[in-house]
Amino acid sequence: MKKIVRIEPYYEPRMWGGGTRMRDEFHYVTEVTPLGEVYNVVALPHHADCFVPEMNCTLSELYDHYPEWFECETPELPIRVNILDPMEDLSIQIHPDDDFARQYNKGRGKPEAWVILDAPEEGYIEFGHYAQNKEELIRWAEQKEWQKLLRYLKTPVGGFIDIPAGTLHAIGKGVLTYNISRNADCTLRLYDYDRVDPDTGKKRPIQPEAVFENVNIPDRLISFLMFPSATEWGCKVTRYWDELGLYTLMRIQTEDRGQFLHDRFAFYTCVKGSGMVNDIKVEQGETILVPAHTGWLEFQGNMDLFLASYRNENS
């Protein structure tokens, strides 16, 4: 029988983590350290897989055993959600397309998008590059002329940015983000600031040749977008993205009471406040899964929720 269930977060250590917001504000309790990234939704069997305590199974198992909850055409759960709070800049990296990922690690490409939840006044991300051709990009990278090559953007709080496959990118230190992506894991690093991994005593691996093969040239020069919101049934709703075969992303904010109907399955992650979704209490940092065709949801409380969902390519 379909029901709303909680999704336990999955933790992995990140050498650029170590801040206190994940613990103090989002209430994530774990012995994993340094903590800087939390997977709110991930279903990669034998790798990273959230647990669903009410069903006593992992999220990938839930997806396999209860397909009517999702009604997806994909053999694996199609979307992934995570929150990042880096204390240092992430590596300059790309995610390749499906064809390369399939050959590289038998995976899939990982187009993604970010919404800036908070950022310092001087906050930034690295996004894209200025090279006009492959030869110029390789030369600047090999000579470590990063200021010539890399493009940086200021981070407006509430800003949304789409990250197609092949886009150089990196979240800057102190920039708190909500991320949605395909449920995949294929990352190619161009530069990691020559950091030494304390677990190995060696520099983390980089894959410049694979990046050169897959990076978008010339760059698409994508920038942040500020999407308008509208009041719907007592909720402040922001609709960011709804692409067949990729993901659907919305933001639902309530101050007291509201209603909302989304007929497909959806993961709701609370990034601020607390309240009730139907008869389920939800606090900052928590994620719930609402199965397909659950019907109208009743919201109570002061909450800031992100809705992550998916529409089949043939829908």
Side-chain angles (χ1 to χ4, degrees), residues 150-161:
L150 302 178
R151 175 176 175 248
Y152 287 85
L153 302 175
K154 288 188 66 65
T155 47
V157 175
F160 168 95
I161 196 161

Side-chain angles (χ1 to χ4, degrees), residues 14-70:
R14 293 288 183 258
M15 62 185 297
W16 39 259
T20 61
R21 296 186 75 163
M22 293 296 207
R23 181 193 66 216
D24 297 344
E25 296 181 27
F26 290 84
H27 317 298
Y28 294 129
V29 179
T30 175
E31 295 180 358
V32 173
T33 185
L35 186 64
E37 177 177 24
V38 172
Y39 294 103
N40 306 90
V41 177
V42 66
L44 299 173
H46 314 298
H47 174 46
D49 207 350
C50 291
F51 191 69
V52 188
E54 290 163 84
M55 304 300 288
N56 193 32
C57 66
T58 65
L59 185 53
S60 64
E61 289 170 338
L62 184 73
Y63 186 79
D64 288 341
H65 297 161
Y66 298 92
E68 69 276 9
W69 287 36
F70 301 91

Side-chain angles (χ1 to χ4, degrees), residues 264-315:
R264 287 170 279 129
F265 83 91
F267 294 95
Y268 292 79
T269 299
C270 183
V271 299
K272 198 168 187 179
S274 63
M276 302 288 292
V277 179
N278 289 4
D279 58 349
I280 306 294
K281 184 168 178 57
V282 180
E283 297 187 346
Q284 183 174 359
E286 293 185 329
T287 296
I288 59 173
L289 166 62
V290 178
H293 311 303
T294 295
W296 283 89
L297 297 180
E298 301 283 340
F299 297 114
Q300 297 180 50
N302 192 323
M303 294 184 291
D304 188 352
L305 301 159
F306 278 85
L307 180 162
S309 186
Y310 176 86
R311 282 202 297 157
N312 291 325
E313 285 192 74
N314 296 319
S315 62

Side-chain angles (χ1 to χ4, degrees), residues 13 57 67 82 105 111 129 136 146 150 183 188-189 195 197-198 202 206 218 221 233 253-255 273 277 282 307:
C57 66
N82 50 334
N105 68 355
H129 62 84
E136 191 170 60
W146 305 119
L150 302 178
N183 181 40
L188 306 173
R189 297 191 189 106
R195 288 184 288 208
D197 187 335
K202 300 178 181 179
I206 60 174
L221 298 179
W233 300 96
Q253 296 165 286
T254 64
E255 293 184 355
V277 179
V282 180
L307 180 162

Side-chain angles (χ1 to χ4, degrees), residues 15 192 194-205:
M15 62 185 297
D192 193 39
D194 297 322
R195 288 184 288 208
V196 174
D197 187 335
D199 291 335
T200 65
K202 300 178 181 179
K203 293 179 183 179
R204 290 202 299 177

